[in-house]
Amino acid sequence: MPLTSVTTPAELASRDNIVKILQESGLQEPSLIDMLDYAIELFESMGLGKEYYGYHNIDHELAVTYISLLSTCTTKNKMNFTKSDIRHIYTAALFHDFDPLKIMDKPHEMSVLSFITSNKDVLNMMRKADVDLNIVKMLILRTTHPWSGQTRDVAQAKIDECFASSELTRDNVELQEHYMNLGWYLSVVDRICGYALGDFAHAMVLAKMNAHALAWHPSLIVRRSVAYFEDLLNNESKMCQHVLSSIPYELRKNFFNAVLSFMHLRTKEITIQAEYTYDNLRFVPTIETMEARNNPEFISTLFDIFAELPKPLQFSPESFEQSIRDPEIILNTLRLNNCTGEILGFAKGGPLESYTLDPRINDVNYALHNTVFLEPLALRMGYWGLGGGQQMRHLFVMQAHTKMFKYLTSFALRDVIQSRIDREEAEFVAKFDPERWDYYRIKL
């Protein structure tokens, strides 16, 4: 598929495009395509398909597979991959993140290996494709991140066992080094691919998905993204160069645009934090009038901030405008410097019965009309972590108290709820894994 401005990442890294590269590269074994279809079916059947809001879903798996093939099957690549090398990288890319247990979004490599070692269908397809199971296991282990400290030592010990078990590499140090380089290559592709396939808006979606799935506070998204790219480009520059030089110009440009954009955002964050520290910025939580709440420009401003939230935290976007205009909905904003200043964020919520809860939540107060639900707080990027969210939440609690609600429920990170148990007598109502973004209750 030609690269155009309207081609989405999912369209690029699609099944059909992967099959096309295989066929154009002379890798036409039916077993390779069977593996592709089987992997897609596995992810979908385990709830890790396109609807799963986590970084390590089927889209990521196909992205790694697509970029792996795109970069290894080109004459631009100076690493001179053999067809056997490509088959092994392709197989490892397809299954490297399939963790059936999924206790957390970041896959546990040992669970992945346990799955492929015990799955007769996968083993049969590997045999037909002339793929060595131990080499695939070794390549997957080399994608362990970070490749340092104890995580590296544990993975390396398992890799050594794989080398000893494979007839290809047993007592062959040169070939072992060759496959370690292939594993390093796959590891770098794994971390570059998503950011190369789309524009910065797509890169930010990936960062938010990763943050949500790993239960990061929003204030960490940009900071950790910058650290991620700096580690990749500074400490693995040699392999990064191999990968980036072998993919099309448009994809290289996407990747570096993402890097530069995150760095610019980080500079903006630091500037905001400095201004706040120097008392040049003041946050003013404000109860908005109904006149303001019926203003289309006001509603549009709030919706732009709302749209920055990860999708699972966007409650009823289709009725957002209606909810702002609804006098039964409690709303306050965070403004800059004074009560008419720039809007930086907002807190919104209403009677629990106005919301459709996840089926896994059994709230005993539902239908008793004694509970207010606080939607996830919304703040502009760059202003998280400075206390503005806490100020909005406190004002919302006061507003709910005046409306005679007895309880407040909401979602928050597990660690945050835990810290509120003694301070606010908070209690867990439902816990969700792997996100650890849980539903809790406090008594007003």
Side-chain angles (χ1 to χ4, degrees):
M1 177 180 289
L3 301 182
T4 71
S5 59
V6 295
T7 303
T8 68
E11 288 171 340
L12 276 178
S14 65
R15 175 199 180 275
D16 290 347
N17 277 349
I18 291 171
V19 170
K20 182 180 179 182
I21 299 176
L22 286 171
Q23 293 174 340
E24 290 177 346
S25 304
L27 297 164
Q28 299 179 3
E29 297 93 324
S31 53
L32 294 177
I33 298 175
D34 290 343
M35 273 195 279
L36 173 61
D37 291 333
Y38 189 75
I40 293 172
E41 183 182 344
L42 276 176
F43 274 77
E44 294 289 353
S45 65
M46 292 297 297
L48 303 176
K50 296 180 184 297
E51 298 305 314
Y52 169 68
Y53 192 84
Y55 184 86
H56 297 94
N57 59 12
I58 187 58
D59 284 342
H60 171 70
E61 211 78 350
L62 293 181
V64 177
T65 305
Y66 173 73
I67 294 295
S68 294
L69 285 176
L70 194 66
S71 62
T72 57
C73 293
T74 177
T75 55
K76 294 180 181 179
N77 201 307
K78 298 179 181 179
M79 291 184 67
N80 299 317
F81 294 99
T82 66
K83 286 190 176 180
S84 176
D85 291 339
I86 296 171
R87 284 197 299 270
H88 282 86
I89 291 174
Y90 167 82
T91 304
L94 269 180
F95 295 105
H96 79 285
D97 280 340
F98 185 72
D99 181 357
L101 298 178
K102 208 62 172 177
I103 297 172
M104 59 186 298
D105 180 71
K106 187 180 185 301
H108 191 281
E109 285 78 14
M110 298 309 166
S111 296
V112 177
L113 299 190
S114 176
F115 165 74
I116 64 173
T117 302
S118 61
N119 187 289
K120 293 181 180 179
D121 292 326
V122 174
L123 294 176
N124 187 44
M125 286 183 281
M126 284 188 189
R127 279 192 294 269
K128 289 181 179 179
D130 195 21
V131 169
D132 186 306
L133 170 64
N134 284 295
I135 299 303
V136 171
K137 289 166 63 177
M138 169 263 140
L139 293 174
I140 291 174
L141 285 163
R142 183 56 184 84
T143 64
T144 299
H145 183 71
W147 188 251
S148 61
Q150 186 177 6
T151 57
R152 178 197 58 201
D153 295 342
V154 171
Q156 185 64 62
K158 293 293 183 181
I159 287 173
D160 293 339
E161 292 177 11
C162 293
F163 282 149
S165 299
S166 171
E167 293 182 4
L168 292 174
T169 54
R170 189 181 302 124
D171 302 322
N172 189 330
V173 176
E174 185 177 349
L175 202 52
Q176 290 177 16
E177 183 178 344
H178 170 73
Y179 283 118
M180 283 296 290
N181 270 329
L182 297 192
W184 185 15
Y185 190 91
L186 178 61
S187 175
V188 171
V189 169
D190 184 18
R191 284 171 284 150
I192 282 177
C193 65
Y195 298 99
L197 286 172
D199 59 13
F200 181 61
H202 172 67
M204 182 55 79
V205 168
L206 292 182
K208 288 179 181 178
M209 288 171 68
N210 195 39
H212 181 72
L214 295 178
W216 290 353
H217 190 275
S219 63
L220 300 176
I221 293 175
V222 175
R223 187 187 316 175
R224 289 188 176 174
S225 294
V226 169
Y228 173 88
F229 290 124
E230 287 185 334
D231 176 65
L232 191 59
L233 294 170
N234 292 333
N235 299 327
E236 303 190 69
S237 57
K238 178 181 176 181
M239 196 57 77
C240 278
Q241 182 60 33
H242 278 307
V243 173
L244 290 168
S245 64
S246 65
I247 60 177
Y249 166 79
E250 292 89 343
L251 302 190
R252 290 200 302 275
K253 183 179 178 182
N254 284 341
F255 175 76
F256 281 110
N257 279 346
V259 174
L260 290 172
S261 296
F262 275 111
M263 288 183 172
H264 289 154
L265 277 180
R266 182 60 184 145
T267 300
K268 181 180 177 182
E269 279 188 348
I270 293 172
T271 301
I272 291 170
Q273 290 167 6
E275 290 293 303
Y276 184 78
T277 301
Y278 299 151
D279 293 329
N280 293 332
L281 300 180
R282 189 165 65 95
F283 297 150
V284 182
T286 305
I287 298 176
E288 300 291 345
T289 66
M290 288 309 302
E291 180 182 359
R293 289 171 58 169
N294 280 287
N295 184 315
E297 185 177 346
F298 175 85
I299 295 171
S300 177
T301 298
L302 295 197
F303 189 80
D304 288 343
I305 301 172
F306 174 79
E308 291 188 14
L309 289 170
K311 286 194 181 300
L313 307 188
Q314 296 179 14
F315 281 78
S316 305
E318 67 285 346
S319 59
F320 182 85
E321 179 177 348
Q322 179 183 345
S323 70
I324 299 298
R325 297 179 186 274
D326 184 353
E328 293 300 313
I329 293 296
I330 299 173
L331 174 74
N332 69 65
T333 61
L334 188 72
R335 289 184 177 264
L336 184 61
N337 294 330
N338 57 63
C339 62
T340 61
E342 177 188 354
I343 298 175
L344 305 177
F346 66 92
K348 180 168 80 77
L352 181 62
E353 292 74 22
S354 299
Y355 296 86
T356 301
L357 296 178
D358 186 298
R360 293 170 291 178
I361 297 175
N362 179 25
D363 194 321
V364 295
N365 288 326
Y366 197 87
L368 297 183
H369 303 282
N370 61 1
T371 302
V372 64
F373 175 73
L374 170 62
E375 297 178 26
L377 300 176
L379 266 176
R380 289 194 185 281
M381 192 69 71
Y383 290 93
W384 288 101
L386 299 177
Q390 185 178 37
Q391 292 181 48
M392 290 192 297
R393 182 176 177 273
H394 285 168
L395 181 56
F396 185 92
V397 169
M398 291 172 60
Q399 291 172 271
H401 192 270
T402 63
K403 286 182 172 288
M404 307 303 290
F405 286 107
K406 294 182 179 179
Y407 302 96
L408 177 146
T409 60
S410 187
F411 288 90
L413 296 172
R414 187 167 300 171
D415 292 346
V416 173
I417 299 171
Q418 190 67 45
S419 70
R420 291 174 179 166
I421 288 178
D422 292 332
R423 189 171 70 247
E424 299 181 357
E425 297 184 11
E427 59 177 315
F428 289 97
V429 179
K431 293 184 177 183
F432 297 95
D433 291 313
E435 298 89 344
R436 288 171 289 165
W437 186 268
D438 302 327
Y439 182 78
Y440 72 98
R441 178 192 299 120
I442 63 170
K443 188 174 182 179
L444 297 176

